[in-house]
Amino acid sequence: MEHNEILSSTKQDSPEVIPSLIKFIASNEVAGFDSMEDICSLNNQYQMNGFQPVSLSSEETEAAAILSQNHVSRPIKSHLASAISISMPSSPLEVHLQNTKRVLFSDHGETMFSNGILDSSAACKTASTELPRQAKFHSQPMPTGSTYPEAIVGDKFPNQSESQARNPRIERLKDKRFDSFKTWSGKLERQLSNLRGKPQESELENNTTQNSEMEILPVDRYFDALEGPELDTLKASEELVLPEDKKWPFLLRYPISSFGICLGMSSQAIMWKTLATSPSMNFLHVSSNVNFSLWCISAALIAIVSFIYLLKVIFYFEAVRREYYHPIRVNFFFAPWIAFLFLALGVPPSVAEHLPPALWYILMTPVFCFELKIYGQWMSGGQRRLSKVANPSNHLSIVGNFVGALLGASMGLKEGPIFFFAIGLAHYIVLFVTLYQRLPTNATLPKELHPVFFLFVAAPSVASMAWTKIQGSFDYGSRIAYFIALFLYFSLAVRVNFFRGFRFSLAWWAYTFPMTGAAIATIRYSNEVTNIVTRSLSVTLSAIAILTVTALLITTILHAFVLQDLFPNDIAIAISERRRKTSKKWYHLRTGSSDTKEIENFLKFGSSDNKDIEASLKPPSCKPEEV
């Protein structure tokens, strides 16, 4: 009782002081803050240094707080040792219990400490509401090279932004939208990181794999979201799943159409070999060294392009799968094998006189597997039937049959070349008629001419040479195919002004080998019909092919090293799975009515000099309306 009266009188004499928000205290001012097992030795050390020993029992907590008023004026050393100790509770419940026991605030906003002196009335309330004893969890010291203030003064703690900038992995993991295109949604990359001894946190793995599964987009989604002759331009009403304001990783920007460079260069090697070995072209005195140089360049290009795309298959398989389901890009999956076939046809005599027949079977096996898949989809009534996805790039899947037949016949094979020639001829006729009809369902056919139309010339040109090798002479069948190719070539050449104004892309390389193929077929024809007209035509078509490839080579170098936009962001593989909801139109029509699309199509085609207005008029839908 006397002790309480002394404390109450002390409270009345001292003015009320509002505590500061943050108060620096030493660990020995709070009882039971950080106790260790060998507390006795530590207490003896503290007593020798002039510090008040720390009490451990819960009954002495309040008494230690009362006695602390006698030691307020005693100087306190803030650094006991070169170590950092952190005491943390085992659960949020203990945080509440410890705060209830040791955070010294009264119910009416009056503090229990005033300049280090305990409020007696509040202390009594605290003592009366004493909580049961809880288990204590003690931290262990973490030795450091220097104390925290010395590290701050010496600038040993780097800034957080600087440390993140020095760690590119943190920057790469910030944007997780690229992870959905990685192989197995980034699992392979994490496994490689674990093998290097740098495992990634499981939390990042959980966040990454939440939305890792990507649906296979139907072919209609590509038609709805993309436009252009190559379906590589995003419509204004669509959005991407990848950021548009930053450059994507290189492998994501590396398209399958890059193999078009290999097609253009390897076909040039074949043309120069034909110029050097054809009797009708002896007056040009073409050296075989040109063929050898171009063949070496073509072999190096095929190796480099194949290696880079193989890396894309390994690390970004989801992006490769989206290219495979793209109605235009899927045809370029024949390009690598056609390039290898061209490389075998253009091999210099100094390298190999005769190639083993086993090479033909190795190269034609993947072509045959792709044809089973693609041609089967053309015949079926699904989303990828030929009447819906027909476009000039489908000729790449046809040319592979004729190039394979030409190489097999050159090796002395009989049945295999005829087999592939028959397959190519049957499907070329169907594709040729479908493209000429321009059915309303052909959403991929461009309204104007584009370099892709030169692929019309490729199949008949190579077919004429293949049949010549099979029959042994440039007979009537070979001449029919050659004349068809020559007429298509001239029909496109006289409209050269229509090919202006298109954005350059690597796919243009794939459109150069048909011109080279027409020149080679003309040289073969001039060997049978030798006159001034055939020779002049051979030289002219060869010069055009050389100039075209040279111009494309210079343009590619400029875009690669000067403009540095040879590989822009590949929009075609990053379209969203669902179309973005658009706002209401200026005209108010009933939702779901077929008149809405008819008016949109009419306005779209009617604004371009009244061209193709008939294409905008579609028959009314026969689907019943939902009630």
Side-chain angles (χ1 to χ4, degrees):
M1 294 298 293
E2 295 178 358
H3 181 68
N4 293 336
E5 290 178 359
I6 295 173
L7 292 178
S8 61
S9 62
T10 305
K11 175 184 175 182
Q12 294 176 0
D13 295 337
S14 61
E16 297 182 356
V17 179
I18 300 177
S20 59
L21 182 62
I22 301 175
K23 184 178 179 180
F24 295 92
I25 62 175
S27 61
N28 60 342
E29 293 187 26
V30 182
F33 174 75
D34 192 20
S35 300
M36 305 182 67
E37 295 178 358
D38 52 349
I39 192 64
C40 297
S41 61
L42 288 178
N43 285 341
N44 295 330
Q45 183 180 358
Y46 289 164
Q47 290 175 2
M48 293 175 62
N49 294 332
F51 290 96
Q52 181 68 23
V54 179
S55 179
L56 292 178
S57 60
S58 60
E59 292 82 0
E60 296 176 357
T61 302
E62 290 79 7
I66 297 174
L67 293 175
S68 63
Q69 61 183 349
N70 298 325
H71 305 278
V72 173
S73 61
R74 182 173 298 177
I76 300 174
K77 297 181 182 181
S78 58
H79 308 293
L80 299 180
S82 297
I84 300 174
S85 299
I86 301 174
S87 292
M88 299 184 65
S90 60
S91 64
L93 177 61
E94 187 169 352
V95 174
H96 174 73
L97 296 178
Q98 292 178 357
N99 291 340
T100 306
K101 183 176 181 180
R102 294 187 175 90
V103 176
L104 305 178
F105 287 96
S106 62
D107 297 335
H108 303 285
E110 300 177 357
T111 60
M112 298 181 66
F113 274 94
S114 178
N115 296 328
I117 301 175
L118 181 64
D119 188 349
S120 60
S121 60
C124 296
K125 294 180 181 180
T126 307
S128 61
T129 59
E130 186 175 354
L131 294 175
R133 184 175 182 178
Q134 300 292 332
K136 293 183 177 60
F137 295 88
H138 310 296
S139 64
Q140 297 297 329
M142 296 181 295
T144 57
S146 61
T147 57
Y148 182 79
E150 294 177 356
I152 294 296
V153 174
D155 197 13
K156 296 182 180 180
F157 286 91
N159 192 6
Q160 184 177 3
S161 60
E162 296 178 358
S163 61
Q164 291 181 357
R166 289 194 295 265
N167 193 351
R169 180 176 297 180
I170 297 178
E171 296 293 334
R172 186 172 66 250
L173 291 176
K174 283 183 179 179
D175 196 346
K176 299 182 178 60
R177 285 174 289 185
F178 297 116
D179 294 348
S180 58
F181 287 89
K182 293 181 180 179
T183 304
W184 299 307
S185 300
K187 291 181 180 179
L188 179 60
E189 182 180 358
R190 288 191 294 273
Q191 290 177 0
L192 294 178
S193 300
N194 294 333
L195 291 178
R196 291 196 302 263
K198 299 178 180 179
Q200 300 181 2
E201 297 181 2
S202 58
E203 181 180 358
L204 294 176
E205 182 177 357
N206 295 333
N207 295 334
T208 303
T209 56
Q210 287 179 356
N211 299 324
S212 59
E213 296 296 333
M214 296 186 63
E215 299 179 1
I216 298 177
L217 297 181
V219 67
D220 293 333
R221 187 70 193 102
Y222 291 96
F223 295 150
D224 295 339
L226 302 172
E227 58 185 357
E230 301 174 10
L231 284 183
D232 57 351
T233 305
L234 189 69
K235 292 183 179 179
S237 60
E238 297 293 336
E239 59 183 3
L240 301 178
V241 297
L242 295 180
E244 303 182 32
D245 56 345
K246 63 183 300 185
K247 184 177 290 187
W248 303 348
F250 173 73
L251 293 179
L252 273 181
R253 294 182 286 113
Y254 194 79
I256 184 65
S257 56
S258 301
F259 284 98
I261 304 177
C262 305
L263 295 178
M265 294 302 297
S266 57
S267 61
Q268 283 288 308
I270 299 175
M271 189 189 72
W272 284 95
K273 179 182 179 180
T274 308
L275 288 173
T277 55
S278 296
S280 60
M281 297 288 106
N282 288 334
F283 68 97
L284 296 177
H285 302 286
V286 177
S287 174
S288 59
N289 294 329
V290 181
N291 164 243
F292 179 78
S293 301
L294 290 175
W295 186 84
C296 293
I297 294 174
S298 302
L301 280 175
I302 293 176
I304 294 173
V305 175
S306 301
F307 175 74
I308 296 176
Y309 200 81
L310 182 61
L311 293 179
K312 183 177 181 179
V313 174
I314 295 175
F315 293 103
Y316 290 95
F317 184 76
E318 296 297 333
V320 176
R321 187 173 66 168
R322 282 207 170 196
E323 282 190 303
Y324 178 77
Y325 287 104
H326 191 281
I328 303 294
R329 299 283 181 87
V330 64
N331 301 289
F332 282 89
F333 280 87
F334 289 90
W337 311 106
I338 297 176
F340 281 113
L341 293 172
F342 281 169
L343 200 65
L345 287 170
V347 60
S350 59
V351 176
E353 288 289 341
H354 301 284
L355 297 176
L359 179 63
W360 182 84
Y361 290 100
I362 294 174
L363 295 179
M364 293 306 297
T365 298
V367 175
F368 179 72
C369 295
F370 274 116
E371 288 177 349
L372 289 178
K373 179 67 175 179
I374 302 300
Y375 296 166
Q377 293 176 348
W378 288 1
M379 291 186 298
S380 65
Q383 298 178 350
R384 300 181 183 272
R385 59 187 182 274
L386 183 60
S387 60
K388 188 172 184 177
V389 301
N391 60 86
S393 63
N394 292 130
H395 284 98
L396 289 174
S397 61
I398 304 295
V399 171
N401 296 286
F402 296 131
V403 177
L406 175 60
L407 179 62
S410 301
M411 293 179 175
L413 302 176
K414 287 294 183 181
E415 300 300 326
I418 296 177
F419 172 77
F420 280 98
F421 185 89
I423 296 176
L425 180 62
H427 289 87
Y428 173 73
I429 295 174
V430 176
L431 178 63
F432 186 81
V433 174
T434 304
L435 293 177
Y436 251 65
Q437 285 181 336
R438 282 184 173 267
L439 298 176
T441 55
N442 294 139
T444 57
L445 280 178
K447 298 296 183 296
E448 298 177 353
L449 290 179
H450 186 268
V452 70
F453 277 93
F454 273 101
L455 288 175
F456 276 93
V457 185
S461 299
V462 182
S464 64
M465 293 184 287
W467 189 250
T468 300
K469 281 294 182 180
I470 292 174
Q471 287 295 103
S473 63
F474 209 93
D475 60 359
Y476 292 115
S478 301
R479 297 182 184 187
I480 291 174
Y482 168 69
F483 290 147
I484 293 175
L486 195 63
F487 173 78
L488 293 175
Y489 189 98
F490 289 154
S491 64
L492 294 174
V494 297
R495 293 173 174 83
V496 66
N497 291 331
F498 291 96
F499 294 97
R500 298 177 180 177
F502 292 100
R503 180 175 57 87
F504 171 78
S505 66
L506 285 176
W508 286 24
W509 278 95
Y511 313 146
T512 60
F513 86 89
M515 306 173 66
T516 306
I520 297 172
T522 304
I523 296 172
R524 297 286 177 88
Y525 176 70
S526 66
N527 292 332
E528 296 291 332
V529 182
T530 305
N531 53 45
I532 188 64
V533 177
T534 56
R535 288 182 175 180
S536 300
L537 187 61
S538 300
V539 174
T540 303
L541 294 183
S542 299
I544 293 175
I546 293 172
L547 291 177
T548 303
V549 172
T550 304
L552 273 181
L553 180 62
I554 296 174
T555 306
T556 304
I557 293 175
L558 289 176
H559 282 273
F561 299 102
V562 179
L563 302 177
Q564 296 182 355
D565 60 350
L566 184 61
F567 298 101
N569 292 339
D570 196 359
I571 305 297
I573 65 171
I575 60 176
S576 57
E577 298 176 358
R578 296 176 180 84
R579 187 173 183 177
R580 185 177 61 180
K581 294 182 179 180
T582 57
S583 58
K584 294 183 180 179
K585 305 297 180 180
W586 59 270
Y587 50 86
H588 303 282
L589 296 175
R590 176 167 48 88
T591 304
S593 174
S594 60
D595 298 336
T596 304
K597 293 184 178 180
E598 293 178 2
I599 293 178
E600 288 181 351
N601 292 330
F602 183 82
L603 293 176
K604 180 173 66 176
F605 293 103
S607 60
S608 58
D609 299 333
N610 296 329
K611 294 180 181 180
D612 290 336
I613 296 181
E614 295 82 4
S616 64
L617 301 178
K618 298 180 181 180
S621 178
C622 299
K623 295 182 181 180
E625 298 181 357
E626 298 180 1
V627 181

